[in-house]
Amino acid sequence: MEQLKHECGVAMIRLLKPLDYYEKKYGTWAYGFNKLYLMMEKQHNRGQEGAGIASVSLTKEAGTEYMFREKAEGKNAITEIFSRVTEEMKGELLMGHLRYSTTGKSGLQYVHPFLRRNNWRAKNLCLCGNFNMTNIDEVFQFLTRQGQSPRIYGDSYITLELMGHRLDREVERLYALAKEQGLKDTAITDYIDNHVEMANVLKSTMCHYDGGYVMCGLTGSGEMFSVRDPWGIRPAFYYRDDEMIALASERPVLQTTIDLQAEDICELQPGEALIVHKNGESHLEQIMPAQQLSACSFERIYFSRGSDRDIYQERKLLGVQLTPSILKAIDGDVNNTVFSYIPNTAEVAYYGMTDGFRQQGYNVRTEKVVWKDIKMRTFIADNSERNDLAAHVYDISYGSLRPYEDNLVIIDDSIVRGTTLKESIFKILDRLHPKKIVMVSSSPQIRYPDYYGIDMARLEEFCAFRATMALIEERGMWQLVNDVYLTCKRNPQTENHVRALYEPFTVEEINNKIVEMLRPKDMQAPIELVFQSIEGLHHACPNHPGDWYFTGRYPTPGGTRLCNQAFVDYVEKNRK
């Protein structure tokens, strides 16, 4: 309903046979690009602001291009970049990226992959990733202390320059070894190209970062790699056989593209890198020690496609677990209640919710109550008219419930800002004249910003935070605000002090205040909110314990520091 943007999706392919093998077997020189295209389209949900691809040929002669890149912006970027692919670009190493920005920066220069050129093949580096770094200021200062002067201030570009610098040092190490062995001219180059150790580069680069990431790259000499953050925040899956090695952000992408079973696919582990050498040999290497697992639970609730075997079952269980709270909200009156969902990502949780009632012997009534209409352009400047247009983004199925007799239960995967509920959903649902509306979220209350790849950066964006601040104001608890503010300024890295703001209030008290704030004027039907519990979340998604947006327990010091700073910014802005 309230679309959250995720940063980003990655896809990589290393063809292990000579290129003419694929043309003879599969009838096309574009076999690798066709697979890459499918992998990117299957991850289109992960990025619609831009896309890019890169390829490296291992057989091109000196004086001809051997490293290619194409980028485009917009929702049709995938189609656009693949329409530009020519036979000249075919290569053994292929990489693709889908972008959503969480930084607010737009333009082709911010679309991945990023490319660093050099006349030495081994020093050419192409990077893309699904990441957000919390300490980019420190990394920038580290670079400038060395005498570098990056042209762009952004985590992608700065990472390219830092890793490129370490790649240069690796090449220089090999150059010295080649000279010691008495090699000359192109023999030195061949020695370097055949002996690059990307693990050295990754270990001396990624240790500088705090954040969630899956970083992927190609070198001009034929090295391919992907490395996952030590906390396992962002996901990556890979597959190997005698024809190819492939990696993607989501498991079903590989299953569908290569026709695999879930058991055929492995997950890249926290702090681990998949490294493929020029000769096609591959291995896994621990780049950094694994930290306490904090795999993103929001991947399971919302971002990843629900077609994954385990995610499908987890989302259903999230719905099942909500039935006791829903039953309480409708006073046990299942016979006079209609159940529905807000399209599209909450559909699986909806199946779980209705199954939960059936398992208890209830005969539930289900309807498609809400429809997502065409995306309307709110081009009118006046706010009142703009809000009126926004109210028509969704439509309802008239006659789907009995006016003034039936309760209406609507499930969504998350309630974040509340804007769509206030400006659209509640208004149109009230036209059906339900006896009561129960708005259900299959995730807990989102209370804190995310700094590892989702566009939730400011506390005031969240309706749960705004409701809590309204309760504090009502009860004259401004000393609490001042105490938290001062503690955030004094000790921003020790712990998340913002959590103290929520401690005086129950979930129900915050729910009631959210309803009060989001309820449109002149609305007749009463509203009740039901959220997933933290315990229910972890029960449904036991292997993905990262819950910082709900609990404020950030896995890295950078996340804690930025959350405390967000509250300082909020207070100082309001005081001004």
Side-chain angles (χ1 to χ4, degrees), residues 284-338:
L284 298 168
E285 185 153 347
Q286 198 69 33
I287 300 301
M288 290 158 293
Q291 303 297 317
Q292 183 174 354
L293 180 65
S294 298
C296 174
S297 59
F298 227 63
E299 285 278 356
R300 319 300 283 184
I301 299 167
Y302 177 81
F303 287 118
S304 294
R305 290 163 66 95
S307 55
D308 182 271
R309 178 192 64 187
D310 296 337
I311 292 176
Y312 184 81
Q313 295 302 325
E314 289 169 12
R315 290 183 182 175
K316 285 193 73 175
L317 184 54
L318 287 169
V320 169
Q321 293 173 164
L322 288 162
T323 54
S325 297
I326 296 170
L327 198 60
K328 180 181 177 182
I330 60 175
D331 296 324
D333 191 7
V334 178
N335 292 333
N336 294 306
T337 299
V338 171

Side-chain angles (χ1 to χ4, degrees), residues 78-96:
I78 299 176
T79 303
E80 183 179 339
I81 55 179
F82 278 94
S83 71
R84 301 184 205 147
V85 171
T86 63
E87 189 169 0
E88 179 192 20
M89 296 171 61
K90 68 181 181 181
E92 293 83 355
L93 288 76
L94 305 173
M95 182 167 72

Side-chain angles (χ1 to χ4, degrees), residues 42 121 143 160-161 173 177 190 209 215 224 297 299 316 322 350 374 427 463 475 545 550:
K42 293 296 180 182
R121 288 186 69 133
L143 279 176
L160 177 73
E161 289 304 316
R173 179 186 72 85
L177 290 176
D190 292 340
Y209 283 107
M215 193 72 66
M224 184 177 98
S297 59
E299 285 278 356
K316 285 193 73 175
L322 288 162
Y350 162 77
I374 59 172
K427 289 181 179 180
C463 58
R475 301 181 189 184
F550 312 121

Side-chain angles (χ1 to χ4, degrees), residues 2-18:
E2 295 177 284
Q3 187 183 46
L4 291 172
K5 296 178 181 179
H6 186 286
E7 184 184 358
C8 303
V10 296
M12 302 186 80
I13 293 174
R14 173 60 157 92
L15 299 175
L16 300 175
K17 304 283 189 182

Side-chain angles (χ1 to χ4, degrees), residues 36 80 89 109 142 214 247 259 269 286 305 316 345 362 377 395 408 418 430 477 497 519 527 558:
L36 187 69
E80 183 179 339
M89 296 171 61
Q109 65 177 327
F142 174 75
V214 170
L247 179 138
D259 190 16
Q269 296 302 303
Q286 198 69 33
R305 290 163 66 95
K316 285 193 73 175
T345 51
Y362 292 105
R377 294 179 178 270
D395 210 342
L408 177 58
D430 199 44
M477 301 169 63
H497 309 296
R519 182 183 179 86
I527 303 169

Side-chain angles (χ1 to χ4, degrees), residues 392-455:
H392 293 278
V393 171
Y394 291 90
D395 210 342
I396 50 173
S397 298
Y398 290 96
S400 55
L401 56 84
R402 296 171 297 188
Y404 306 108
E405 294 183 33
D406 290 332
N407 301 306
L408 177 58
V409 174
I410 297 278
I411 190 170
D412 193 9
D413 42 52
S414 59
I415 299 172
V416 187
R417 302 174 181 90
T419 307
T420 308
L421 287 177
K422 182 173 183 177
E423 300 298 340
S424 179
I425 298 297
F426 285 154
K427 289 181 179 180
I428 62 170
L429 292 180
D430 199 44
R431 297 175 189 171
L432 296 172
H433 306 297
K435 183 170 66 176
K436 183 179 186 180
I437 296 172
V438 180
M439 192 73 213
V440 182
S441 170
S442 65
S443 67
Q445 288 178 351
I446 297 176
R447 298 179 170 188
Y448 304 92
D450 178 68
Y451 299 106
Y452 306 120
I454 305 170
D455 69 333

Side-chain angles (χ1 to χ4, degrees), residues 445-449 452 459 495-500 502 534 546-556 559-561 563-564:
Q445 288 178 351
I446 297 176
R447 298 179 170 188
Y448 304 92
Y452 306 120
L459 286 161
E495 61 179 288
N496 182 2
H497 309 296
V498 181
R499 297 180 67 196
Y502 293 96
I534 300 296
D547 62 1
W548 51 91
Y549 3 75
F550 312 121
T551 66
R553 293 191 289 258
Y554 291 90
T556 76
T560 298
R561 173 177 54 81
C563 185
N564 287 327

Side-chain angles (χ1 to χ4, degrees), residues 153-168:
Y153 187 88
D155 50 9
S156 302
Y157 185 80
I158 289 173
T159 301
L160 177 73
E161 289 304 316
L162 176 57
M163 190 175 294
H165 172 69
R166 301 314 308 173
L167 181 60
D168 290 348

